[in-house]
Amino acid sequence: MKYYIKTFGCQMNVNDSEKMAGILQTLGYTPTENWEEADVILVNTCSVREKPDQKVLSALGEFKKVKKHNPNAVIGVCGCLAQRAGYEIYQKAPFIDMVFGTTNIHHLPNLLEEAKSGNKAIEILEEIDENENLLDRFPTVRENKYTAFVTVIRGCDKKCTYCIVPTTRGRERSRRIGDILREVQYLVEDGVKEIHLIGQNVTAYGKDFGDVKFWELLKAVAEVDGVERIRFTTGHPKDLDEDTIKVMADLPQVCEALHLPIQAGSDRILQAMDRGYTQKEYLQKIELLKKYIPNIALSTDIIVGFPGETYEDYLETVKVIKEVEYDQVFAFKYSPRPGTPAADLPMTESPEELSKRLNDLINLQKDITFKKNLEYQDKIVEILVEEINQENKLVGRTRTNKLVYAEGSPEYLGKLVDVKIEKVNRFSLEGSIIGGD
Ligand code: 5AD
Ligand code: SF4
């Protein structure tokens, strides 16, 4: 019996898919890279913009063909779009056998049993399942042996007016620190060197308990023997405080890289988005980060064309990009999401104008990214060798999250090694290994 999982969306979805793979393997299934030979196909969906929504329906149309030669194959849909519009998807694609939401993934064994006996297994909960943490007990099946995601907080209490996530993922629920540390310990024993703490808003970690701070979690994870690197995503500018930044700077395991979404540069638009900070306040956080961690690599998310965004507002975003000099920018056109506060606001600019703004911004950032990469020429950087590619190059990332291809012996796989950078590309660096642990 084989399974195939198609994952859309963010790291939370990736981690959920790793857990679902763990559940399926516990049930005796083995993975396949070819959906046509799968007995169970799961589509883990994203709902953050309209495009991913559409991609799900076209993927389902393709996967439907599996039933031609394997009528008993089970097709399931889960994740954020399933949580938001599971019944609608089922109406549009009635051949699917299973639909479940974001907080009842641990019910997969029962749902699968039901679907296999020929019934439609549809379970979308309106309230968060109080036993959702049972999911954490299942093993994660990871593609990468040496780095691992660990979910530390689920949901989001922010009310950004464009965002569907509070609807699809619910309110903030932090995991108990002891449970997180046990998972980290297990991962380290399994060979993991780099722990990537994830959540929709990790910097809000512990707020729902009232007595734990995110930086305390960082310190505790750093104390686990064998954790060589720590990353975390996503932080919210409002919740990132100086105490956290100091701890990031002090802990040698915390990598010099941070994704800090700004979304827009104009104060008027930031307010309409209900982001809870002004451009100046955001830039003050960036200044603090650069003060404590001078070589930090920064990245951000930007939404172009929020309703009411004028050309002058857009120029404020451009200004921030030029001033911060991010290593990477993820920019998208605004996409109205049904049910969000901004959904009914009228669009004030033409789609062509918005496409132009987005393109100009992406082109501007391409040059900045290249310029930042050029700073690495002839420098020695530490990488964690994550794989060996088909050309026998070692592939890894710097602490600042730059992709590096290096000449060197395969014995360095899974090790932290020093690489001298000899060539700089737009999206990667190349070099040779000069020593390792
Ligand atoms: N339209 C466009 N982009 C969005 N994002 C979230 N909601 C929307 C939307 N309605 C972007 C934000 C967020 C990232 C994960 O997706 O930039 O940080
Ligand atoms: Fe997409 Fe957001 Fe859901 Fe992640 S949490 S899958 S980005 S809608």
Side-chain angles (χ1 to χ4, degrees):
M1 299 287 268
K2 297 194 168 135
Y3 72 88
Y4 175 90
I5 304 179
K6 170 83 187 161
T7 308
F8 294 93
C10 65
Q11 291 149 338
M12 295 299 283
N13 264 20
V14 172
N15 195 219
D16 285 345
S17 288
E18 291 172 340
K19 285 281 172 199
M20 292 191 279
I23 294 177
L24 291 169
Q25 297 206 9
T26 309
L27 295 174
Y29 287 82
T30 53
T32 171
E33 304 217 329
N34 176 6
W35 60 266
E36 285 173 312
E37 59 174 35
D39 301 285
V40 176
I41 297 179
L42 293 178
V43 185
N44 193 0
T45 62
C46 172
S47 189
V48 81
R49 283 174 291 274
E50 203 178 348
K51 264 222 179 103
D53 273 25
Q54 290 160 353
K55 279 195 203 152
V56 167
L57 284 171
S58 64
L60 283 173
E62 190 68 10
F63 295 150
K64 180 186 175 185
K65 295 179 193 153
V66 78
K67 299 209 176 209
K68 274 193 199 145
H69 59 271
N70 183 1
N72 293 327
V74 170
I75 301 179
V77 181
C78 54
C80 289
L81 180 61
Q83 179 70 42
R84 179 173 73 78
Y87 293 103
E88 267 170 59
I89 306 174
Y90 176 61
Q91 275 168 358
K92 286 183 189 157
F95 55 87
I96 58 183
D97 309 282
M98 220 169 30
V99 185
F100 52 101
T102 52
T103 78
N104 55 342
I105 303 172
H106 59 290
H107 290 170
L108 177 56
N110 298 341
L111 292 166
L112 188 56
E113 201 54 44
E114 174 117 11
K116 275 168 63 181
S117 62
N119 297 322
K120 297 287 180 187
I122 299 180
E123 189 189 58
I124 301 156
L125 306 179
E126 295 212 349
E127 300 291 320
I128 293 158
D129 188 296
E130 56 181 21
N131 291 319
E132 66 173 344
N133 283 347
L134 288 176
L135 182 65
D136 301 324
R137 302 218 183 143
F138 288 97
T140 39
V141 175
R142 290 170 288 111
E143 258 183 36
N144 195 310
K145 249 176 96 75
Y146 309 105
T147 73
F149 289 135
V150 175
T151 296
V152 299
I153 180 169
R154 299 190 162 96
C156 182
D157 281 359
K158 297 274 183 290
K159 296 200 166 40
C160 305
T161 53
Y162 52 80
C163 190
I164 194 72
V165 171
T167 315
T168 61
R169 294 269 177 184
R171 59 166 198 277
E172 284 165 5
R173 292 95 70 201
S174 303
R175 276 178 74 194
R176 293 271 157 206
I177 222 164
D179 291 343
I180 295 170
L181 295 179
R182 256 190 300 280
E183 184 171 343
V184 170
Q185 181 75 45
Y186 167 83
L187 289 166
V188 167
E189 283 164 16
D190 199 35
V192 169
K193 300 269 174 76
E194 181 177 302
I195 297 288
H196 195 152
L197 307 174
I198 58 169
Q200 258 76 41
N201 179 10
V202 282
T203 32
Y205 178 80
K207 275 191 178 174
D208 47 334
F209 300 149
D211 54 352
V212 192
K213 298 272 193 296
F214 175 62
W215 56 262
E216 291 177 87
L217 174 68
L218 279 180
K219 280 188 165 178
V221 172
E223 270 170 27
V224 177
D225 220 18
V227 173
E228 309 254 16
R229 285 177 165 190
I230 301 173
R231 302 187 191 277
F232 60 88
T233 335
T234 301
H236 192 288
K238 203 176 164 200
D239 295 330
L240 181 74
D241 54 20
E242 189 161 356
D243 287 342
T244 304
I245 298 174
K246 278 187 194 158
V247 170
M248 287 168 66
D250 287 348
L251 292 174
Q253 291 92 339
V254 176
C255 291
E256 296 78 24
L258 188 68
H259 184 66
L260 200 63
I262 181 166
Q263 311 298 2
S266 144
D267 285 347
R268 214 173 55 81
I269 297 298
L270 284 170
Q271 196 172 11
M273 290 175 161
D274 204 2
R275 288 290 291 173
Y277 53 81
T278 59
Q279 180 195 115
K280 191 166 161 216
E281 284 162 345
Y282 177 89
L283 290 175
Q284 280 167 348
K285 297 274 160 102
I286 297 285
E287 213 173 290
L288 271 183
L289 283 160
K290 287 183 175 173
K291 176 177 138 199
Y292 285 103
I293 312 164
N295 56 340
I296 192 163
L298 296 162
S299 57
T300 200
D301 287 341
I302 284 176
I303 298 176
V304 171
F306 185 82
E309 184 192 82
T310 62
Y311 190 65
E312 284 67 38
D313 291 319
Y314 163 77
L315 288 181
E316 290 296 311
T317 305
V318 172
K319 181 185 137 212
V320 172
I321 290 179
K322 286 186 176 160
E323 188 169 329
V324 176
E325 295 204 310
Y326 294 102
D327 285 72
Q328 237 182 326
V329 168
F330 301 90
F332 298 96
K333 230 195 271 182
Y334 169 72
S335 168
R337 305 283 61 213
T340 58
D344 300 326
L345 297 176
M347 297 297 282
T348 41
E349 307 276 359
S350 69
E352 295 75 30
E353 167 63 18
L354 297 185
S355 297
K356 185 177 176 315
R357 284 182 199 174
L358 180 66
N359 271 337
D360 290 352
L361 197 145
I362 290 171
N363 284 332
L364 163 70
Q365 181 56 37
K366 259 191 202 155
D367 291 342
I368 299 175
T369 298
F370 192 40
K371 184 178 144 202
K372 300 289 282 186
N373 284 358
L374 283 172
E375 291 169 10
Y376 286 77
Q377 182 71 46
D378 300 325
K379 295 262 162 62
I380 293 166
V381 291
E382 178 205 88
I383 68 163
L384 171 60
V385 182
E386 293 174 29
E387 62 169 273
I388 298 176
N389 73 6
Q390 284 168 339
E391 292 151 25
N392 279 328
K393 293 254 175 73
L394 311 183
V395 188
R397 287 188 177 269
T398 64
R399 291 173 60 92
T400 51
N401 217 8
K402 302 274 176 196
L403 184 63
V404 177
Y405 297 95
E407 300 283 352
S409 156
E411 76 196 37
Y412 289 121
L413 184 62
K415 304 241 164 79
L416 290 166
V417 292
D418 289 332
V419 173
K420 171 132 195 238
I421 300 302
E422 291 149 354
K423 185 160 181 264
V424 173
N425 306 315
R426 277 193 183 273
F427 301 107
S428 64
L429 309 172
E430 292 175 45
S432 306
I433 288 187
I434 57 163
D437 62 10

